[in-house]
Amino acid sequence: MVKWIPRLIIITSIFTLYPNIVGLFSVFERDIPKDIMNQIEAGYATMIEIDKEMYVDHDTIHLKYLVYSEEETLLFYDIRKKEQGWSFPGIALQLIDETGYKYQGSGGSSSGMVWGESCINDYEPLPKEIQTIVIRYKWYDREFQTEINLTEATI
């Protein structure tokens, strides 16, 4: 009679952990929404793979892609948290072009994952003549930046 208890615990654990297991495998896929990927493939938007990391205390911000079109500019990034208890301020990521103009953010979204967050920030469109953009993180006493060459489009 007691033999079914361990089996029940194993089956319950598998069902409970299933979303986490699927989430681990989805990390290896490109996580760009299909409608945006269709715009890139059709030539209406340009994607640049950034693949750079910035560190805030014990946590990592992984800048993944910059996608820009005539309508908008999107910044895709992940936050890998080792410290719990703080929310990443998406407005702390600024886009600045070579003339010093700061592009206005108009919103964003994030999805909680087992390892942290996957985020998308939306900014106003970049002019066609801009060749480099600086992604700057500035929040209280923390500040760092990385420069992206827009002529090196991935797709």
Side-chain angles (χ1 to χ4, degrees):
M1 180 170 169
V2 181
K3 291 183 180 181
W4 62 270
I5 293 176
R7 292 181 185 147
L8 180 65
I9 292 172
I10 291 171
I11 290 171
T12 304
S13 298
I14 289 172
F15 282 118
T16 304
L17 294 174
Y18 180 75
N20 294 334
I21 294 169
V22 171
L24 287 175
F25 289 110
S26 69
V27 169
F28 301 110
E29 300 175 9
R30 272 196 174 165
D31 43 355
I32 295 177
K34 281 190 173 188
D35 60 331
I36 295 172
M37 205 61 200
N38 289 340
Q39 288 181 4
I40 294 167
E41 290 170 354
Y44 297 121
T46 304
M47 180 178 81
I48 295 178
E49 188 169 352
I50 302 170
D51 195 26
K52 292 187 179 180
E53 293 184 343
M54 297 188 246
Y55 302 97
V56 177
D57 298 327
H58 301 289
D59 302 325
T60 305
I61 302 167
H62 179 219
L63 301 173
K64 295 171 24 176
Y65 309 105
L66 184 71
V67 176
Y68 61 97
S69 67
E70 293 180 5
E71 293 86 29
E72 64 186 347
T73 302
L74 301 172
L75 177 63
F76 292 80
Y77 61 96
D78 291 336
I79 303 166
R80 301 186 186 279
K81 295 182 179 183
K82 291 186 182 173
E83 287 183 8
Q84 298 301 317
W86 71 281
S87 297
F88 181 78
I91 60 170
L93 286 172
Q94 302 171 338
L95 296 184
I96 305 166
D97 66 22
E98 64 250 17
T99 66
Y101 181 76
K102 292 181 184 177
Y103 292 87
Q104 186 68 35
S106 60
S109 65
S110 66
S111 298
M113 303 292 188
V114 176
W115 41 262
E117 292 179 70
S118 183
C119 307
I120 304 171
N121 280 7
D122 192 356
Y123 299 90
E124 63 185 285
L126 302 175
K128 291 182 181 180
E129 62 273 3
I130 299 300
Q131 295 193 4
T132 59
I133 197 88
V134 172
I135 300 172
R136 178 187 296 164
Y137 174 84
K138 186 174 183 178
W139 195 250
Y140 295 111
D141 61 341
R142 295 172 180 91
E143 183 175 348
F144 45 82
Q145 63 186 31
T146 187
E147 188 171 301
I148 309 299
N149 186 349
L150 299 181
T151 62
E152 298 174 357
T154 304
I155 293 181

